[in-house]
Amino acid sequence: MACLEAPPRLEFRPVTCQPRGLQLPPWRLSLWRSSSSCRSCTLVSRQLPICNAQSYADYLRVPAPQSPASVRPRLLAAEREEAKAVLSLFLRQKGLRSTLAARIVNKSDGFIEHLVSKLQIAYRSRYAEGRELSTPEIRDALIPYLEALSKEHGDSLVEVVENFPDPFSMEREALSSSMPFTPTSSNKQKAIARITTATSGGALPELVRYLLDLGMDHEEIKNIVRKFPAFAYYSVDRKIKPLVELLLELGVPKSSIPGIIKKRPQLCGISMSDNLKPMMAYLENIGVNKAQWSKVITRFPALLTYSRNKVETTVSFLTELGVSKKNIGKILTRCPHLMSYSVDDNLRPTAEYFRSIGADAASLIQKSPQAFGLNVEAKLKPITEFFLAREFSIEEIGIMTNRFGIIHTLSLEENLLPKYEFFLKMEYPRCELVKFPQYFGYSLDQRIKPRYARMTGCGVRLILNQMLSVSDDRFEKILEKKTGL
């Protein structure tokens, strides 16, 4: 009979984590034995794994806290940088220049912390083990979330990133606590299920019934929830109805309210007393016509979802530009979209460019505010270069811009080029375009060509302004007078 080996002597002693040199707590003990091979010891040692220097939490095998303040600082710092890199990449993929994307990321610390918190929720078990996330894992978690935000906010995404948290984000975050974000779990699907699942009594959810009565159909309601999942969790009595009643009081037709909600469902989540009404009072104080709120909100409901800081920054820029308080209100009443433009990335660079070609930026933003949402390199400069290539001086281009502010918003291929070619066929001197650049605002097939054919058929020659700007009756009277008929 084989001699049984005596059990090895086992003892527990404190150890130091290598290579970091961290003294572990007294209760963390290491298995020590004199023998080199023992099945029982091997089994025990698997339950007490040795330090692999990956992380302190990994060494201890204890759950890591989920809050940013308690997760290991080095790991958090690394993931902040990873989150910045992912956001920068995403913005560049959306068409922003590298320098602009970097500038946005560097001044969006609040949003970066928000992304890190998303990672901690998405990879809760990984954080419990203290294991560092890989770059692909971080991208897999954040890119779908950023895509969802992009679909939700469209052109306002940059503003949301820079001004996080915005007026409605706190409520959205509160709602999201019951809808954990993970790469495999879709908040959108849960939200859609919430509005498509009948109650225990077989009735449609209250939110759906109310919106159907308001004039929406089922597919429109689903589209809103796909765009903004938090909408499915809004209370009809506390959120939706108060907004609808306010819009009706402001003169918005009931038939227009579904369109407003579809454009900006976040409007329903804003506090009426803390945000919406104070913002309206502020805008009225700077000149927005209170009698025109119906038109303003219908055109651009997002105006009332912007932060006070965002609005004040834009107003301050317009004042700096030389626009009076009264005219600021007129601009925002007529073109509330102006508030969606970034001061640093759109308004200021555009104003400086227009000044460089001799245009009056303050006057131009009042006449054609939409021109200030254009990219200088991609849109404004090509228009200027189009005219320079045709021997217009920079001074003449400035005059044309002052006289016809939207000239830089027109399409080169579909507007300027074909109309300029026809202008050459008419054999007018170039100064006619400088005097009347509004020529480019008329339809080539429905106005310019028919009027020119009628004029030449009568054997007379009118200046561009006379040929195009007058009514049909006035045009015929001018021709009669010129021909002596």
Side-chain angles (χ1 to χ4, degrees), residues 24-81:
L24 299 184
W27 48 264
R28 177 61 172 96
L29 304 176
S30 177
L31 185 65
W32 178 263
R33 61 185 296 277
S34 56
S35 174
S36 61
S37 62
C38 173
R39 176 175 175 80
S40 62
C41 289
T42 302
L43 292 174
V44 174
S45 67
R46 286 177 182 167
Q47 298 172 18
L48 298 170
I50 62 172
C51 173
N52 59 10
Q54 292 300 307
S55 72
Y56 189 66
D58 188 47
Y59 189 95
L60 299 183
R61 286 291 194 269
V62 294
Q66 301 302 313
S67 66
S70 56
V71 178
R72 190 161 46 84
R74 185 190 67 79
L75 186 147
L76 281 177
E79 285 169 2
R80 285 192 193 96
E81 294 305 313

Side-chain angles (χ1 to χ4, degrees), residues 276-318:
L276 202 149
K277 288 186 176 180
M279 177 59 74
M280 291 178 66
Y282 172 76
L283 292 170
E284 288 172 9
N285 186 53
I286 62 172
V288 171
N289 189 341
K290 62 190 308 180
Q292 297 294 315
W293 271 122
S294 172
K295 293 181 179 178
V296 171
I297 297 175
T298 302
R299 286 176 191 153
F300 193 60
L303 176 66
L304 296 179
T305 66
Y306 292 138
S307 67
R308 180 67 171 265
N309 179 64
K310 161 74 173 172
V311 176
E312 288 179 343
T313 300
T314 302
V315 170
S316 177
F317 170 76
L318 294 174

Side-chain angles (χ1 to χ4, degrees), residues 28 63 78 98 120 136 295 310 326 354 369 381 413 427:
R28 177 61 172 96
S98 296
Q120 292 169 2
K295 293 181 179 178
K310 161 74 173 172
K326 178 181 178 181
F354 280 131
K381 284 187 177 180
E413 294 77 13
E427 298 182 341

